[in-house]
Amino acid sequence: MWLGLESSCDESALALVSREGKIIGEWLLSQVDKHAEYGGVVPDLAVGEHLNNFVPLLQLASEKIELSSVVANIAVTRGPGLVGCLAMGISFAKTLGALWKVPVHGVNHLTGHALSVFMPLFQKGETGWEDHLPHLGLLVSGGNTLLFKLDLERKIHVLANTVDDAAGEALDKGAKLMGIPYPGGAKLEEFARNGDPQAFDFPRSFPEKEQRKFSFSGIKTSLFYRIHHWDEDAINNQRSDLCASYQQAVVDQLTRKTRQLLLADKYKSFGLSGGVANNDLLRSQLRDICRDEEITFLPAEKRHTGDNAAMIGFASFLAPEHALLDSSHNLSFNPSLRLGF
């Protein structure tokens, strides 16, 4: 079996993946509440929490399964992410690898997200995932917004990327401008459910199909200039409409570029992954596009849209040829690692 470890940011997580690609168990300790009082992730605090969390997580997992007797491979996030957090996870993985005498594999966090859309197929016993290739994927999170192609040779090619802010970053920063506490994106979505998405006009960048890129800094700037003279009561009175309109502008850009790229090539499936994939409006509109184009929609399960260890173990299981093996105990992190193999 594969033991996955994730520590790229503020989630300490372990997961066990079977030889058949099924998730056997998951154990996670979140730091969200600890960082909320600071309005965002504090790197030094995150490192300390990882140090405190991994041994208790291992103990929790060992109460259910004797890991040392079933784990044949360890997979750990090697990047991208926060330097100290990545180092903490890799150090813990190497320690377990030496103790249990099993190989350690370094996994690209973004590859984990990209391939996470196939995990539900294996959970249902559908191992013919390659029947869904070629595949177009949208990976959208607080740090990344990109469209990629997974071809018949199982290679990833990035087709469109953001030139500035990621979509999740724009949602979080927009929420902060409106006085919504961290983590803002999810709370912004809650306010948006009671608002009018047509109440305010926000920009949608790069509308032409030839423009294979995203930009979300303009929408954030537009919101700032719209409300910077408003007092707290004015913002509170308009918050639901502001959130609905702002969210719609972000989603429109994501769905429009997705449709353009779906029409530009032949695909058998479309996948949605990353933290923003949890957004119900985005999921619904992309599902409708896939239905219209008669393409299989493969969204990551909501519990696996954020940072998680299951996708790390699964990615190493599914594409072991693209994981880095720590054969000489010198596996290192890369905080700027990009998607693609």
Side-chain angles (χ1 to χ4, degrees), residues 6 9-14 27-36 41 46 49-50 53 57 182-183 307:
E6 160 60 24
C9 191
D10 61 340
E11 305 283 21
S12 308
L14 298 177
W27 302 270
L28 181 145
L29 288 174
S30 176
Q31 305 176 20
V32 171
D33 291 342
K34 294 183 181 294
H35 294 279
V41 176
E49 288 301 305
H50 287 308
N53 288 344
L57 277 175
Y182 175 87
D307 297 343

Side-chain angles (χ1 to χ4, degrees), residues 9-84:
C9 191
D10 61 340
E11 305 283 21
S12 308
L14 298 177
L16 192 63
V17 180
S18 76
R19 295 177 180 177
E20 294 76 35
K22 293 185 177 182
I23 311 303
I24 304 301
E26 296 182 76
W27 302 270
L28 181 145
L29 288 174
S30 176
Q31 305 176 20
V32 171
D33 291 342
K34 294 183 181 294
H35 294 279
E37 60 182 293
Y38 301 100
V41 176
V42 180
D44 289 346
L45 175 60
V47 172
E49 288 301 305
H50 287 308
L51 181 63
N52 294 332
N53 288 344
F54 270 121
V55 170
L57 277 175
L58 187 65
Q59 291 172 338
L60 281 174
S62 298
E63 291 174 2
K64 302 293 182 180
I65 303 169
E66 184 56 51
L67 296 180
S68 60
S69 63
V70 300
V71 172
N73 292 277
I74 295 174
V76 60
T77 300
R78 62 178 295 263
L82 299 175
V83 172

Side-chain angles (χ1 to χ4, degrees), residues 31-306:
Q31 305 176 20
V32 171
D33 291 342
K34 294 183 181 294
H35 294 279
E37 60 182 293
Y38 301 100
V41 176
V42 180
D44 289 346
L45 175 60
V47 172
E49 288 301 305
H50 287 308
L51 181 63
N52 294 332
N53 288 344
F54 270 121
V55 170
L57 277 175
L58 187 65
Q59 291 172 338
L60 281 174
S62 298
E63 291 174 2
K64 302 293 182 180
I65 303 169
E66 184 56 51
L67 296 180
S68 60
S69 63
V70 300
V71 172
N73 292 277
I74 295 174
V76 60
T77 300
R78 62 178 295 263
L82 299 175
V83 172
C85 296
L86 294 170
M88 193 62 61
I90 289 176
S91 296
F92 191 67
K94 286 182 176 181
T95 300
L96 292 180
L99 181 65
W100 296 342
K101 295 180 173 58
V102 297
V104 178
H105 306 257
V107 175
N108 186 327
H109 180 83
L110 300 180
T111 301
H113 277 304
L115 299 181
S116 67
V117 302
F118 298 107
M119 286 199 293
L121 300 178
F122 283 79
Q123 287 295 104
K124 295 184 291 186
E126 301 175 18
T127 57
W129 73 280
E130 290 174 307
D131 293 339
H132 295 285
L133 305 183
H135 168 86
L136 180 69
L138 174 63
L139 196 169
V140 57
S141 67
N144 295 273
T145 300
L146 51 87
L147 281 157
F148 65 89
K149 178 179 181 178
L150 180 59
D151 66 21
L152 292 171
E153 285 72 45
R154 309 197 333 175
K155 293 182 179 179
I156 285 183
H157 311 271
V158 175
L159 304 180
N161 208 335
T162 181
V163 300
D164 42 53
D165 293 349
E169 182 181 4
L171 290 168
D172 286 340
K173 288 182 176 178
K176 188 173 184 179
L177 286 172
M178 289 183 276
I180 300 173
Y182 175 87
K187 292 183 173 68
L188 184 149
E189 182 182 6
E190 293 177 13
F191 282 110
R193 291 194 179 101
N194 298 316
D196 177 6
Q198 307 301 322
F200 297 96
D201 185 30
F202 292 106
R204 279 80 161 160
S205 301
F206 303 127
E208 303 301 326
K209 63 181 180 180
E210 295 81 11
Q211 299 173 304
R212 295 192 170 190
K213 48 192 172 182
F214 300 97
S215 172
F216 297 97
S217 63
I219 182 177
K220 178 189 64 180
T221 302
S222 177
L223 174 64
F224 171 78
Y225 282 113
R226 182 177 293 276
I227 68 174
H228 79 290
H229 287 311
W230 294 13
D231 59 24
E232 185 176 346
D233 287 340
I235 293 176
N236 289 339
N237 290 335
Q238 298 289 331
R239 182 174 282 128
S240 292
D241 286 347
L242 282 168
C243 288
S245 301
Y246 189 87
Q247 175 183 252
Q248 188 66 62
V250 172
V251 169
D252 282 350
Q253 189 178 159
L254 294 169
T255 56
R256 178 178 59 202
K257 198 58 61 179
T258 294
R259 185 188 292 274
Q260 289 172 352
L261 289 185
L262 277 175
L263 295 175
D265 205 344
K266 293 183 178 179
Y267 297 98
K268 289 187 177 179
S269 65
F270 171 77
L272 174 64
S273 60
V276 183
N278 228 9
N279 183 282
D280 286 331
L281 178 65
L282 179 63
R283 291 172 83 94
S284 174
Q285 294 196 3
L286 288 172
R287 183 180 292 108
D288 290 345
I289 289 174
C290 289
R291 183 196 61 222
D292 294 343
E293 302 303 328
E294 298 182 340
I295 292 173
T296 301
F297 182 45
L298 298 175
E301 290 185 312
K302 285 195 171 185
R303 65 193 178 109
H304 291 139
T305 54

